[in-house]
Amino acid sequence: MELSESVQRGLQALADASSFDQSSFQALIDVSHRSLLSSHGDPAVLDHPELKQIDQILLKQVHTAATTFILEAVKQNADKSTISSSLEELTFSAEKIEIFYSIYQKHKKELEHLLASIGRRPAQINDISWRLQYHMKNGQVDKVNEPFYSISLNSEKDGCSEDMNFTCTMEQLQDLVGKLKDAAKSVEKASQM
């Protein structure tokens, strides 16, 4: 698996027996899996009793590296030999590899469902509606006399329709239209290659 240098450094620190013994290693791997599956991103996820004695900066680095590795393994549908060889390259002991893989297997299906739910396509815009409005006055100034546009984008993703509403001035709308024209030209050029 291709991993960035910071992820590799974090995983090497996790493999270091002087920083993480078997019980703190197991706790961190379990916490990493659970934090990925948590829908609300609990900030106290690293407050596990087994992890209290570990430096907080190191703990956060290692947690980030572990979650990155876990997501990469799930994304690539990595088997035991792939995970083992990747972790062996990062100086993990056989016991730690076994602990990692058993926890990984326990949560793999849930993580696959989580990644599948994120999807691969952005929402598709189906319709747009707009209305020119005029701002006559506000609480601070008696006369404002500014036109503005109310825009409503109707999009669809995975069969669910959603409206996104916003307002903008004429200059902002012209800027948006210019950027959309640039994007359309880029797509047209890319399709001709």
Side-chain angles (χ1 to χ4, degrees), residues 50-120:
E50 290 286 334
L51 305 174
K52 288 286 187 198
Q53 77 281 3
I54 299 167
D55 175 57
Q56 290 300 301
I57 294 172
L58 174 65
L59 187 60
K60 288 178 183 179
Q61 282 179 316
V62 170
H63 177 257
T64 302
T67 54
T68 302
F69 184 82
I70 292 163
L71 288 174
E72 196 62 31
V74 172
K75 184 176 107 179
Q76 293 183 17
N77 196 21
D79 59 1
K80 187 172 185 172
S81 65
T82 305
I83 289 172
S84 294
S85 64
S86 295
L87 293 176
E88 282 171 3
E89 287 176 19
L90 297 164
T91 67
F92 275 70
S93 67
E95 297 84 27
K96 285 187 175 183
I97 292 172
E98 195 57 45
I99 291 169
F100 180 92
Y101 190 73
S102 67
I103 295 171
Y104 171 79
Q105 275 302 109
K106 187 168 72 172
H107 297 286
K108 184 179 178 190
K109 288 289 181 206
E110 291 173 276
L111 288 167
E112 286 173 343
H113 291 299
L114 174 71
L115 289 179
S117 71
I118 294 170
R120 295 190 171 118

Side-chain angles (χ1 to χ4, degrees), residues 146-164:
E146 286 182 344
F148 68 96
Y149 291 88
S150 291
I151 313 275
S152 178
L153 299 175
N154 178 273
S155 63
E156 184 175 328
K157 183 174 181 177
D158 299 328
C160 297
S161 182
E162 184 178 327
D163 285 335
M164 183 167 85

Side-chain angles (χ1 to χ4, degrees), residues 9 22 31 44 46-47 71 80 92 101 111 130 141 152 160 186 188:
R9 281 193 308 272
Q22 298 287 66
V31 160
L46 296 175
D47 288 344
L71 288 174
K80 187 172 185 172
F92 275 70
Y101 190 73
L111 288 167
W130 59 274
V141 181
S152 178
C160 297
S186 294
E188 190 176 318

Side-chain angles (χ1 to χ4, degrees), residues 136-145:
M136 300 297 283
K137 65 180 185 175
N138 65 18
Q140 289 85 21
V141 181
D142 282 340
K143 289 187 178 181
V144 175
N145 294 334

